[in-house]
Structures are given as structure tokens and as C-alpha cells.
Amino acid sequence: MLKARIAVLVSGGGTNLQALIDAQGRGELSHGEIVLVVSGTTGAYALERARRHQIPALAIDRKNCSGGLEFEQKLKAALEDYRIDLIILAGFMTILSPAFIQSYPQRIINVHPALIPTFCGKGFYGLRVHRAALEYGVKVTGATVHYVNEIPDGGRILLQKAVDVLPGDTPERLQRRVMEQAEWVLLPEAAELVSKRIMEEKENEGCGCR
Ligand code: GAR
């Protein structure tokens, strides 16, 4: 069966990438296949995870680019080389330009470590999100997987899962619980959901049904 060709964009440890690779290994990603991992920095451990699983892994070092435009041009060239159908932002800490996003309508998804529309948007990433949630005193937080549009964390929500905040939580402990209970569950589910949709659309286009 033909599968949606997936690129996972990462910046750091890559535990969400690992969740996707593991789901693929268990056969849970039946309509998609991870064919490329791209990092915006050379040192990301996520690249090592990809290589261990024989997935092509590419670092496009933003520091060696003259600016965002050059970075996105290189990224786009790689995505075209690998004929990518679906882009998954898994802890990718760079905000992509509207022009880039518009060239992949409904083809980019992102995992965010809070229940959007809370603790999201510009400046809310990684541990900062959990720090803000604890400072506010929320009793429930969670994770969201959403389509990416021009507004940071503003695209249509695909999946959400709530996670309890517990007494004595630190940002690190809360981050770990949100990952374990929500992100690592939701992201593979969303990847399969969107891959299935993309392949159905391709099939319909191919048979001239629409
Ligand atoms: C994850 O918690 C992800 O949701 C978050 O960064 C972490 C990356 O971890 N992303 C954002 O905050 C984006 N706004 P990972 O590299 O181990 O997957």
C-alpha cells in the first residue's frame, strides 16, 4: 500500500520523534512512513535517534544561513527531494514564515504541550509552557496536536488530551507527565489520522472522483 511520506522536524531531544518511530514499529502508522528527519541545529539528539533507525537525518544549521529565507529555501529543497506529503513539527522550535506554511496547506501538524488556547503562541515553548501553567495554578493541563497555520499555535485542533497537575509538581515533572500521558500518545494518533486523509485525497484525485 502506498503511504504518506512524512518528514519530522525537530530541534532537541526528540522524544516525540521516538514516539512516532515506535508507533511505526508497532504497525500503528499504517497510512504513513517517516522518510526524513530534519533539524535546525547540528547537535540535536533527535538526529541520532533517526540514524539509529536508518531514517535519513539532515541538519540544516540555521547559524550557517543568512536568514530565515535561506533556511526555508534549504528546508523546502530537502522536502521536495524526499517528495514529502506531511510535515510533523515535533519539538521544532523555529516559527516558519507564512509563505512557507501556505505552500503546505493542511499538510503541517504540530504538537504543543498545553491545552490550546491556553499557554500557547509566541514565547510559549518547552519548559516555559509548564512553568507558566504552574505559576497560574491550573489544576489540569495537557497537550494538543493541531494543523499549522500562519498564527503560532493557531491552526485547527486535531486532538487534545488533559493531564492532571499534581501537588509538588516542578516544570520538569509536569513536562514529563504531559509527554508520557498525552504527547507521545496523541502525536502518533494524529500522524496516522492525517496520513490516512492525505492518502484518501490522493486516491480520489487519481481516480478522477472529484
Ligand atoms: C515537547 O514537549 C513539545 O511539545 C514541545 O517541546 C518539547 C520537545 O521535546 N514543543 C513546543 O513547545 C512547541 N511550541 P522532544 O524534543 O523530546 O520531542
Side-chain angles (χ1 to χ4, degrees):
M1 186 179 70
L2 274 178
K3 295 185 178 202
R5 295 173 64 78
I6 300 173
V8 184
L9 273 49
V10 294
S11 294
T15 64
N16 278 287
L17 167 68
Q18 190 66 55
L20 289 164
I21 294 172
D22 293 347
Q24 179 166 282
R26 293 191 300 267
E28 290 167 14
L29 204 51
S30 55
H31 291 81
E33 185 181 359
I34 305 162
V35 297
L36 178 66
V37 170
V38 183
S39 165
T41 55
T42 45
Y45 181 65
L47 291 170
E48 182 58 35
R49 292 182 193 268
R51 290 186 189 120
R52 271 193 210 159
H53 290 85
Q54 288 80 47
I55 299 168
L58 197 70
I60 304 173
D61 201 343
R62 279 184 67 89
K63 282 188 287 186
N64 292 340
C65 297
S66 55
L69 188 63
E70 191 188 333
F71 173 76
E72 288 186 355
Q73 278 167 351
K74 288 184 177 170
L75 176 58
K76 223 167 177 181
L79 298 173
E80 279 164 17
D81 270 0
Y82 281 84
R83 293 177 288 112
I84 296 303
D85 298 304
L86 170 62
I87 301 165
I88 300 181
L89 309 185
F92 184 63
M93 298 305 181
T94 300
I95 293 183
L96 295 162
S97 73
F100 181 93
I101 291 164
Q102 279 155 15
S103 44
Y104 296 95
Q106 307 288 297
R107 296 291 180 105
I108 313 177
I109 64 172
N110 176 50
V111 60
H112 182 73
L115 294 174
I116 290 175
T118 64
F119 310 113
C120 62
K122 209 162 178 262
F124 284 100
Y125 56 86
L127 271 179
R128 288 171 183 233
V129 176
H130 303 291
R131 210 170 284 131
L134 288 175
E135 273 168 15
Y136 213 95
V138 292
K139 303 301 172 217
V140 177
T141 181
T144 304
V145 181
H146 61 94
Y147 282 111
V148 171
N149 69 4
E150 299 81 349
I151 302 159
D153 298 326
R156 191 163 64 80
I157 290 171
L158 274 156
L159 297 172
Q160 270 186 324
K161 193 165 187 285
V163 173
D164 286 336
V165 177
L166 299 180
D169 265 349
T170 59
E172 290 79 6
R173 282 173 64 174
L174 184 57
Q175 179 183 51
R176 183 74 193 179
R177 189 175 318 111
V178 168
M179 284 175 157
E180 283 176 356
Q181 295 184 9
E183 295 185 49
W184 301 341
V185 181
L186 292 187
L187 192 58
E189 269 179 39
E192 170 58 12
L193 210 71
V194 179
S195 296
K196 188 164 184 275
R197 193 214 79 214
I198 290 172
M199 294 320 286
E200 282 168 359
E201 280 173 11
K202 281 194 171 201
E203 219 167 274
N204 289 342
E205 280 162 16
C207 74
C209 302
R210 320 188 297 172

